Amino acid sequence: MTAITDRLGDLLDTITSQGYDLSRDLNPGLDRSEILSLANFFPCALAEELIELYQWRNGQIMGEWFDNGINVSGIPLFRDNYFIPLHRTKEYYLIMLDIMEEEEDWEFLRYAFPFATYEGSIWVMCCGAQPLQPQLKHPIVSIFEGIEVYFCDMLSMLDTIIAWYREGAYRIRPDRRGNYAPLLDYNERLERQIWQRLNPDIMIW
């Protein structure tokens, strides 16, 4: 078991411990050849962390698909973003290309792979060089009303989300009908403190 797979298991266990069995919302993982075949639209090599992510699970099962592809009744795996099944990543990649055309400096998005989304937000892993934080090899970048580095890499992203739950920045609660809302109760100040502590190489806005 590698560090990425280990942390993914820890994240799933942490969410489950708060009363929501997220494992029921996840698709089975894929083998390496399936991953490379489904991602053959991407113009550069996938980072190994992405391959390991999709070997672990192939995104979240979406019971009701809306225009943005989100099932609003479940808990997102990654903060407030849902884990995109690999067969749907191409459509989000094409959305990114449209965004990229708006600004010349955003050409690096051609080599960024989308893996999470919610209501217009897309999280990507940079698999090529990027100008935002050039010292980071594979940062996680958020595209939503701007483009910002959110996490130093996949491992720091997972460690941060786990810490948010375990240290009380996030709490899962059902609504009045017993359904789970996609947005969690959260402590913004504590969230930012944990975020900065575990991602010291970036500036948390």
Side-chain angles (χ1 to χ4, degrees):
M1 181 180 293
T2 69
I4 297 294
T5 303
D6 185 50
R7 295 301 199 289
L8 286 163
D10 286 346
L11 175 56
L12 190 56
D13 290 344
T14 299
I15 292 173
T16 300
S17 73
Q18 291 207 10
Y20 185 81
D21 182 9
L22 186 59
S23 64
R24 66 190 180 190
D25 298 342
L26 295 169
N27 294 301
L30 304 172
D31 64 37
R32 190 182 187 90
S33 62
E34 290 175 311
I35 293 167
L36 296 179
S37 176
L38 287 169
N40 64 2
F41 64 88
F42 193 57
C44 71
L46 286 182
E48 285 298 318
E49 296 92 330
L50 285 168
I51 293 173
E52 187 170 349
L53 175 65
Y54 281 100
Q55 286 176 323
W56 178 71
R57 297 288 191 277
N58 179 27
Q60 292 186 246
I61 298 168
M62 306 299 185
E64 297 179 59
W65 289 96
F66 297 89
D67 289 341
N68 61 358
I70 296 302
N71 176 352
V72 296
S73 64
I75 293 294
L77 181 61
F78 302 126
R79 191 177 181 243
D80 54 357
N81 278 252
Y82 291 85
F83 180 16
I84 305 172
L86 191 56
H87 64 276
R88 292 200 53 132
T89 54
K90 183 176 181 178
E91 65 188 82
Y92 289 97
Y93 180 75
L94 294 176
I95 291 171
M96 284 172 39
L97 293 188
D98 287 340
I99 294 172
M100 183 189 72
E101 291 179 358
E102 297 176 10
E103 296 285 346
E104 184 177 339
D105 293 343
W106 294 352
E107 174 67 24
F108 75 94
L109 291 178
R110 189 177 301 279
Y111 308 104
F113 195 89
F115 67 91
T117 186
Y118 183 64
E119 290 192 345
S121 166
I122 303 174
W123 282 9
V124 302
M125 173 180 278
C126 294
C127 296
Q130 46 78 31
L132 303 176
Q133 295 283 343
Q135 78 278 13
L136 300 177
K137 185 176 181 182
H138 296 306
I140 306 302
V141 171
S142 171
I143 303 170
F144 183 66
E145 298 180 351
I147 298 179
E148 299 173 288
V149 176
Y150 263 31
F151 306 97
C152 295
D153 52 31
M154 179 72 72
L155 194 59
S156 68
M157 179 191 81
L158 296 172
D159 283 340
T160 302
I161 299 172
I162 290 167
W164 281 333
Y165 281 106
R166 290 183 177 175
E167 298 180 33
Y170 291 173
R171 296 189 184 280
I172 298 172
R173 62 171 175 79
D175 64 18
R176 293 178 180 177
R177 293 176 292 180
N179 298 317
Y180 284 85
L183 297 178
L184 312 173
D185 287 337
Y186 71 99
N187 180 321
E188 184 175 356
R189 181 177 179 182
L190 181 56
E191 178 193 48
R192 288 175 182 269
Q193 289 174 350
I194 295 168
W195 210 335
Q196 191 69 72
R197 186 183 82 221
L198 296 177
N199 299 271
D201 294 331
I202 63 176
M203 177 61 67
I204 303 302
W205 55 100

